[in-house]
Amino acid sequence: SDIIFHPWKKEENGNQTRVILYTITLTNPLAPKTATVTETQTMYKASQESECYVIDAEVLTHDVPYHDYFYTINRYTLTRVARNKSRLRVSTELRYRKQPWGLVKSFIEKNFWSGLEDYFRHLESELTKTESTYLAEVHRQSPKEKVSKQSTVRRRKRAHAHLRVPHLEEVLSPVTTPTDEEVAHRIKHVAGSTQTRHIPEESPSGFHLQSVSKLLLVISFV
């Protein structure tokens, strides 16, 4: 409650920072019922608008026992995974400003993790409610919108009919295996191919003359 958002400020290194002030409710019997919090958020310059955001939040909880000994760092990574879907990943770390002695340290860590689990469980619950509400609004549409959407889909399917040009009909036709005569005919009529130059004409006399020429060439060489 009592949330105050300060505007984002751009730093010299390209990152942006802002400060948020708010009040939280505590359930620990050794702590007060409420505590004020100062949260300093840093959005790194590597973040890309509408694609990915990486934000570190340094959280200082006042009015709790040993609050001057420690603080919390939460890293929020928000990534777009689809047109209407994002993934939120949160990691956290407990850091000390000064080292407490053993008993105090165990007390701080025990209460720190229990309070943190409650906090993020509440965050998860709120995000689930928001998601459910959003999905319900997306799926809620009038009959006219449904008819319009269906007609649009049909028009898009018909629009692909022009792609079936005559030269594609042969590609889409059933595959057949040509005969040996068809293969020989195609090879002979390939312009500039080595097969065209080396395949002899289908006549006995031509084949005989070629054999005699080879024989004379061999004799001359010897």
Side-chain angles (χ1 to χ4, degrees):
S1 60
D2 303 329
I3 305 176
I4 300 176
F5 291 94
H6 290 276
W8 288 100
K9 295 181 180 180
K10 193 167 186 178
E11 305 292 336
E12 294 181 357
N13 55 9
N15 299 334
Q16 298 184 53
T17 61
R18 72 172 178 179
V19 178
I20 304 175
L21 306 175
Y22 53 89
T23 302
I24 60 174
T25 302
L26 304 176
T27 58
N28 194 310
L30 300 178
K33 294 182 178 180
T34 60
T36 57
V37 178
T38 301
E39 181 172 326
T40 304
Q41 295 184 347
T42 301
M43 182 170 63
Y44 291 99
K45 62 180 180 180
S47 302
Q48 299 181 6
E49 185 176 359
S50 301
E51 293 296 334
C52 179
Y53 297 92
V54 180
I55 299 177
D56 279 355
E58 180 181 306
V59 183
L60 299 177
T61 305
H62 310 284
D63 310 321
V64 297
Y66 305 102
H67 66 89
D68 54 339
Y69 277 80
F70 67 95
Y71 65 99
T72 306
I73 292 290
N74 298 326
R75 170 163 292 184
Y76 299 87
T77 304
L78 186 63
T79 309
R80 175 183 177 178
V81 296
R83 183 173 178 270
N84 294 318
K85 187 177 181 180
S86 300
R87 177 180 293 110
L88 175 62
R89 181 180 184 271
V90 185
S91 57
T92 187
E93 182 182 356
L94 173 63
R95 295 185 181 180
Y96 290 97
R97 295 187 179 276
K98 50 185 179 180
Q99 286 295 328
W101 54 289
L103 186 60
V104 173
K105 186 176 182 179
S106 61
F107 170 80
I108 292 175
E109 293 182 354
K110 178 182 178 181
N111 290 277
F112 165 78
W113 290 114
S114 62
L116 206 64
E117 288 176 0
D118 292 338
Y119 174 79
F120 284 113
R121 192 178 295 111
H122 179 72
L123 176 62
E124 181 183 8
S125 175
E126 292 300 317
L127 287 176
T128 302
K129 293 178 183 178
T130 303
E131 182 183 19
S132 300
T133 303
Y134 172 76
L135 293 177
E137 293 177 354
V138 169
H139 292 296
R140 187 187 303 115
Q141 53 184 350
S142 64
K144 292 183 179 180
E145 292 175 342
K146 291 183 180 180
V147 172
S148 176
K149 184 177 180 181
Q150 292 175 359
S151 62
T152 303
V153 173
R154 286 196 296 269
R155 285 197 300 270
R156 288 179 179 177
K157 288 182 179 180
R158 289 196 298 268
H160 290 289
H162 72 279
L163 295 177
R164 296 180 62 87
V165 292
H167 73 273
L168 287 181
E169 294 295 338
E170 183 180 356
V171 178
L172 299 176
S173 62
V175 179
T176 57
T177 303
T179 62
D180 294 340
E181 290 77 8
E182 291 176 346
V183 173
H185 179 75
R186 292 176 185 177
I187 291 175
K188 286 183 179 180
H189 289 80
V190 174
S193 67
T194 57
Q195 290 87 344
T196 303
R197 291 193 296 269
H198 288 284
I199 290 182
E201 294 295 330
E202 296 179 358
S203 62
S205 59
F207 180 79
H208 178 69
L209 290 175
Q210 186 178 17
S211 301
V212 172
S213 300
K214 288 183 179 179
L215 180 60
L216 292 176
L217 180 62
V218 171
I219 294 174
S220 301
F221 179 76
V222 173

